[in-house]
Short mmCIF file of all heavy atoms in Angstrom, two decimals:
data_model
loop_
_atom_site.label_atom_id
_atom_site.label_comp_id
_atom_site.label_asym_id
_atom_site.label_seq_id
_atom_site.Cartn_x
_atom_site.Cartn_y
_atom_site.Cartn_z
N SER A 40 92.19 27.64 -63.28
CA SER A 40 93.31 27.84 -64.27
C SER A 40 92.86 28.68 -65.40
O SER A 40 93.70 29.08 -66.24
CB SER A 40 93.69 26.44 -64.86
OG SER A 40 94.38 25.69 -63.84
N GLY A 41 91.54 29.02 -65.47
CA GLY A 41 91.07 29.80 -66.62
C GLY A 41 91.31 31.32 -66.50
O GLY A 41 91.92 31.74 -65.55
N PHE A 42 90.80 32.02 -67.49
CA PHE A 42 91.07 33.47 -67.60
C PHE A 42 90.50 34.18 -66.26
O PHE A 42 91.23 34.77 -65.49
CB PHE A 42 90.32 33.99 -68.83
CG PHE A 42 90.11 35.49 -68.89
CD1 PHE A 42 91.10 36.40 -68.62
CD2 PHE A 42 88.84 35.96 -69.25
CE1 PHE A 42 90.88 37.76 -68.66
CE2 PHE A 42 88.58 37.30 -69.30
CZ PHE A 42 89.66 38.24 -69.05
N LEU A 43 89.19 34.06 -66.09
CA LEU A 43 88.62 34.71 -64.89
C LEU A 43 89.10 34.03 -63.61
O LEU A 43 89.47 34.71 -62.63
CB LEU A 43 87.08 34.60 -64.98
CG LEU A 43 86.37 35.08 -63.71
CD1 LEU A 43 86.58 36.53 -63.45
CD2 LEU A 43 84.86 34.76 -63.77
N ASP A 62 90.78 22.14 -61.48
CA ASP A 62 90.65 22.38 -62.89
C ASP A 62 91.10 21.11 -63.65
O ASP A 62 91.98 20.38 -63.15
CB ASP A 62 91.50 23.61 -63.33
CG ASP A 62 91.01 24.27 -64.62
OD1 ASP A 62 91.03 23.59 -65.66
OD2 ASP A 62 90.54 25.46 -64.61
N ILE A 63 90.63 20.98 -64.93
CA ILE A 63 91.15 19.83 -65.71
C ILE A 63 92.58 20.01 -66.13
O ILE A 63 93.23 19.13 -66.62
CB ILE A 63 90.30 19.54 -66.93
CG1 ILE A 63 89.73 20.79 -67.61
CG2 ILE A 63 89.18 18.51 -66.60
CD1 ILE A 63 89.08 20.52 -68.93
N ARG A 64 93.08 21.29 -66.03
CA ARG A 64 94.47 21.53 -66.42
C ARG A 64 95.11 22.46 -65.37
O ARG A 64 94.41 23.29 -64.78
CB ARG A 64 94.54 22.15 -67.80
CG ARG A 64 93.85 23.53 -67.80
CD ARG A 64 93.65 24.07 -69.19
NE ARG A 64 92.90 25.31 -69.08
CZ ARG A 64 93.37 26.56 -69.16
NH1 ARG A 64 94.60 26.72 -69.49
NH2 ARG A 64 92.63 27.61 -69.03
N GLY A 77 91.55 17.70 -62.12
CA GLY A 77 90.50 16.76 -62.27
C GLY A 77 89.31 17.30 -63.02
O GLY A 77 89.24 18.57 -63.29
N ASP A 78 88.37 16.44 -63.37
CA ASP A 78 87.14 16.87 -64.03
C ASP A 78 86.09 17.09 -63.00
O ASP A 78 85.88 16.24 -62.16
CB ASP A 78 86.75 15.73 -64.99
CG ASP A 78 85.59 16.12 -65.91
OD1 ASP A 78 84.73 16.87 -65.49
OD2 ASP A 78 85.60 15.66 -67.06
N LEU A 79 85.39 18.20 -63.11
CA LEU A 79 84.34 18.51 -62.09
C LEU A 79 83.16 17.56 -62.10
O LEU A 79 82.35 17.57 -61.18
CB LEU A 79 83.89 19.97 -62.21
CG LEU A 79 83.21 20.50 -63.45
CD1 LEU A 79 81.73 20.14 -63.44
CD2 LEU A 79 83.37 21.93 -63.55
N CYS A 98 83.72 28.65 -61.43
CA CYS A 98 83.81 29.46 -62.66
C CYS A 98 84.44 28.59 -63.80
O CYS A 98 85.15 29.15 -64.65
CB CYS A 98 84.54 30.74 -62.47
SG CYS A 98 86.14 30.67 -61.72
N ALA A 99 84.10 27.33 -63.81
CA ALA A 99 84.58 26.42 -64.89
C ALA A 99 83.47 26.25 -65.94
O ALA A 99 82.29 26.23 -65.63
CB ALA A 99 84.96 25.08 -64.33
N SER A 100 83.88 26.26 -67.21
CA SER A 100 82.92 25.96 -68.27
C SER A 100 83.71 25.60 -69.56
O SER A 100 84.83 26.14 -69.71
CB SER A 100 82.09 27.22 -68.59
OG SER A 100 81.32 27.04 -69.76
N THR A 137 79.70 31.53 -61.28
CA THR A 137 79.83 32.52 -62.36
C THR A 137 78.79 32.15 -63.41
O THR A 137 79.02 31.16 -64.12
CB THR A 137 81.23 32.50 -62.97
OG1 THR A 137 82.18 32.53 -61.93
CG2 THR A 137 81.45 33.73 -63.80
N SER A 138 77.78 32.87 -63.46
CA SER A 138 76.74 32.65 -64.52
C SER A 138 77.10 33.61 -65.68
O SER A 138 78.28 33.92 -65.92
CB SER A 138 75.38 32.91 -63.91
OG SER A 138 74.40 32.73 -64.85
N TYR A 166 75.66 26.89 -75.32
CA TYR A 166 76.41 27.32 -74.14
C TYR A 166 75.40 28.06 -73.22
O TYR A 166 75.29 27.76 -72.02
CB TYR A 166 77.56 28.26 -74.57
CG TYR A 166 78.08 29.23 -73.49
CD1 TYR A 166 79.00 28.75 -72.53
CD2 TYR A 166 77.68 30.53 -73.47
CE1 TYR A 166 79.48 29.62 -71.58
CE2 TYR A 166 78.17 31.40 -72.47
CZ TYR A 166 79.06 30.93 -71.51
OH TYR A 166 79.51 31.80 -70.58
N LYS A 170 73.91 27.38 -69.49
CA LYS A 170 74.17 28.34 -68.33
C LYS A 170 72.86 28.70 -67.64
O LYS A 170 72.86 28.92 -66.42
CB LYS A 170 74.82 29.65 -68.86
CG LYS A 170 76.23 29.59 -69.43
CD LYS A 170 77.24 29.12 -68.41
CE LYS A 170 77.71 30.23 -67.51
NZ LYS A 170 78.83 29.74 -66.60
N ILE A 197 83.45 39.81 -70.48
CA ILE A 197 84.61 40.05 -69.65
C ILE A 197 85.85 40.25 -70.54
O ILE A 197 86.01 39.50 -71.58
CB ILE A 197 84.91 38.85 -68.75
CG1 ILE A 197 83.60 38.45 -67.96
CG2 ILE A 197 85.99 39.17 -67.76
CD1 ILE A 197 83.79 37.19 -67.09
N1 LIG B 22 84.59 35.38 -70.69
C1 LIG B 22 83.40 36.00 -70.63
O1 LIG B 22 83.17 37.00 -71.36
C2 LIG B 22 82.34 35.51 -69.75
C3 LIG B 22 81.21 36.30 -69.56
C4 LIG B 22 80.22 35.83 -68.72
C5 LIG B 22 80.34 34.69 -67.99
N2 LIG B 22 81.53 33.92 -68.19
C6 LIG B 22 81.67 32.69 -67.38
O2 LIG B 22 82.80 32.85 -66.58
C7 LIG B 22 83.38 31.60 -66.32
C8 LIG B 22 84.86 31.66 -66.66
O3 LIG B 22 85.06 31.89 -68.05
P1 LIG B 22 86.45 32.23 -68.66
O4 LIG B 22 86.24 33.24 -69.71
O5 LIG B 22 87.47 32.42 -67.59
O6 LIG B 22 86.77 30.84 -69.42
P2 LIG B 22 88.08 29.98 -69.50
O7 LIG B 22 87.90 28.99 -70.58
O8 LIG B 22 89.30 30.80 -69.52
O9 LIG B 22 88.10 29.18 -68.08
C9 LIG B 22 87.31 28.07 -67.87
C10 LIG B 22 88.12 27.05 -67.05
O10 LIG B 22 87.26 25.95 -66.76
C11 LIG B 22 88.08 24.75 -66.87
N3 LIG B 22 87.19 23.62 -67.12
C12 LIG B 22 86.45 23.37 -68.24
N4 LIG B 22 85.82 22.23 -68.15
C13 LIG B 22 86.17 21.66 -66.93
C14 LIG B 22 85.83 20.45 -66.25
N5 LIG B 22 85.09 19.54 -66.79
N6 LIG B 22 86.37 20.28 -65.03
C15 LIG B 22 87.23 21.14 -64.46
N7 LIG B 22 87.57 22.34 -65.06
C16 LIG B 22 87.06 22.59 -66.28
C17 LIG B 22 89.01 25.02 -68.04
O11 LIG B 22 90.11 24.19 -68.04
C18 LIG B 22 89.36 26.50 -67.83
O12 LIG B 22 90.53 26.65 -67.06
C19 LIG B 22 82.58 30.58 -67.16
O13 LIG B 22 81.61 29.98 -66.28
C20 LIG B 22 81.83 31.41 -68.15
O14 LIG B 22 80.64 30.83 -68.53
C21 LIG B 22 82.50 34.33 -69.00
#
Side-chain angles (χ1 to χ4, degrees):
S40 288
F42 163 51
L43 171 65
D62 202 297
I63 37 171
R64 62 192 174 104
D78 188 325
L79 62 83
C98 53
S100 169
T137 314
S138 180
Y166 159 82
K170 292 297 281 184
I197 311 176

